[in-house]
Amino acid sequence: MRKVLLAGESWMSFTTHVKGFDSFTTSVYETGEKWLKAALEKGGYEVDFLPNHLAMDGFPFEMEALSKYDAVILSDIGANTLLLPSMTFARSEKKPNRVNLLRDYVLEGGGLLMVGGYMTFAGIDGKGKWHDTALQEVLPVEVLTVDDRMEHCEGVTPVMEEAHEALKGMPWEFPQVLGYNKTIAKPEALVAATVEGNPFLAFAEYGKGRSAVCTTDCAPHWAPPEFCEWEYYDKMWQGIADWLTKKEDTGR
């Protein structure tokens, strides 16, 4: 069984409620991995989910540990989470650069998928900060240096532009999404689908490995119920994972 590491897709919210003179606070921990994780598991993949707060210190530091995975998915996780392990931030200890490690992992034959969100690509206020990292070298799109969110509360429709083996059997129009990260396609990329003329699904090969991006989210709010419950949702992610891991077409 092929193994995938899914990092990110979690958040904590802290809310202050003001009621006249008085106030109180509540907090909640939430995750958004269930749709993507379920889709991959239905396709025969074993998925290890590493939420953001655990990824800071739990994401592999060495190639031996990272190479146990056939593909790595980064979804709504900022570069700082991998660049600032607590040992470095709190105690100034030197640790291996895991973004450089991810680049080398791809060049040596690994698969990489970046999924859109408020902390991937450039993200909100540019805080995703993936542009000025080694990962930019093995992504099929150029990440912007400014807030790249394209918010569409009215909905916007991605469309297929060019056939790609990862998307075999997919329709040429997708359900609407409520937003995406704006990027610029690299010359070597195959942009299979666009949204407003910008990359939506793009693919490229680097060294011995493969890389792909989906510039919208895999879960709400950018991916509304009609997208997450779309009859081709599972097939899309399974096809991308199969291509990244060089898994033979099973005829799904």
Side-chain angles (χ1 to χ4, degrees):
M1 180 178 289
R2 302 215 165 193
K3 294 189 66 173
V4 173
L5 176 60
L6 170 57
E9 276 304 323
S10 73
W11 59 95
M12 301 177 191
S13 302
F14 190 73
T15 305
T16 300
H17 305 256
V18 180
K19 297 192 175 184
F21 181 84
D22 299 299
S23 66
F24 64 94
T25 59
T26 58
S27 57
V28 63
Y29 168 71
E30 298 175 279
T31 65
E33 88 292 351
K34 69 177 184 179
W35 294 274
L36 176 54
K37 185 172 184 287
L40 294 176
E41 288 174 343
K42 290 175 189 175
Y45 289 88
E46 179 182 343
V47 181
D48 286 349
F49 173 50
L50 192 60
N52 277 305
H53 67 288
L54 298 180
M56 287 183 64
D57 294 334
F59 194 94
F61 284 92
E62 305 293 342
M63 186 64 75
E64 182 180 1
L66 193 59
S67 294
K68 294 178 181 178
Y69 296 98
D70 297 285
V72 175
I73 301 175
L74 301 175
S75 185
D76 219 352
I77 179 173
N80 282 327
T81 299
L82 300 187
L83 291 170
L84 290 170
S86 61
M87 301 82 82
T88 300
F89 186 72
R91 301 191 296 273
S92 297
E93 295 179 11
K94 293 180 180 178
K95 300 294 290 185
N97 186 318
R98 291 173 292 181
V99 179
N100 291 353
L101 180 68
L102 260 177
R103 173 201 56 199
D104 296 342
Y105 164 81
V106 174
L107 294 175
E108 293 178 20
L112 172 68
L113 170 63
M114 181 173 282
V115 180
Y118 273 35
M119 280 295 163
T120 30
F121 299 100
I124 189 167
D125 299 331
K127 290 180 178 177
K129 209 181 183 318
W130 285 104
H131 180 275
D132 294 316
T133 72
L135 207 68
Q136 179 66 90
E137 300 172 27
V138 291
L139 287 176
V141 297
E142 182 179 347
V143 178
L144 303 185
T145 58
V146 296
D147 191 321
D148 62 357
R149 293 169 305 124
M150 302 299 290
E151 300 286 358
H152 283 280
C153 58
E154 80 285 7
V156 64
T157 304
V159 294
M160 201 81 77
E161 298 286 354
E162 189 171 347
H164 189 276
E165 60 183 288
L167 306 173
K168 183 179 179 181
M170 294 281 295
W172 284 70
E173 187 170 294
F174 298 76
Q176 288 195 324
V177 296
L178 301 180
Y180 64 94
N181 299 94
K182 186 175 182 178
T183 61
I184 301 171
K186 289 183 178 178
E188 68 271 19
L190 188 151
V191 180
T194 62
V195 55
E196 297 188 305
N198 298 305
F200 183 72
L201 294 173
F203 304 86
E205 299 191 30
Y206 295 97
K208 299 177 182 178
R210 294 177 170 182
S211 175
V213 297
C214 174
T215 60
T216 197
D217 208 337
C218 59
H221 83 279
W222 274 356
E226 56 264 37
F227 191 92
C228 294
E229 297 168 8
W230 182 36
E231 62 178 311
Y232 291 97
Y233 180 91
D234 292 355
K235 185 177 181 65
M236 184 184 83
W237 297 114
Q238 291 164 8
I240 293 171
D242 288 353
W243 183 79
L244 288 173
T245 63
K246 304 176 185 177
K247 183 177 178 181
E248 293 298 321
D249 183 15
T250 58
R252 280 191 306 274

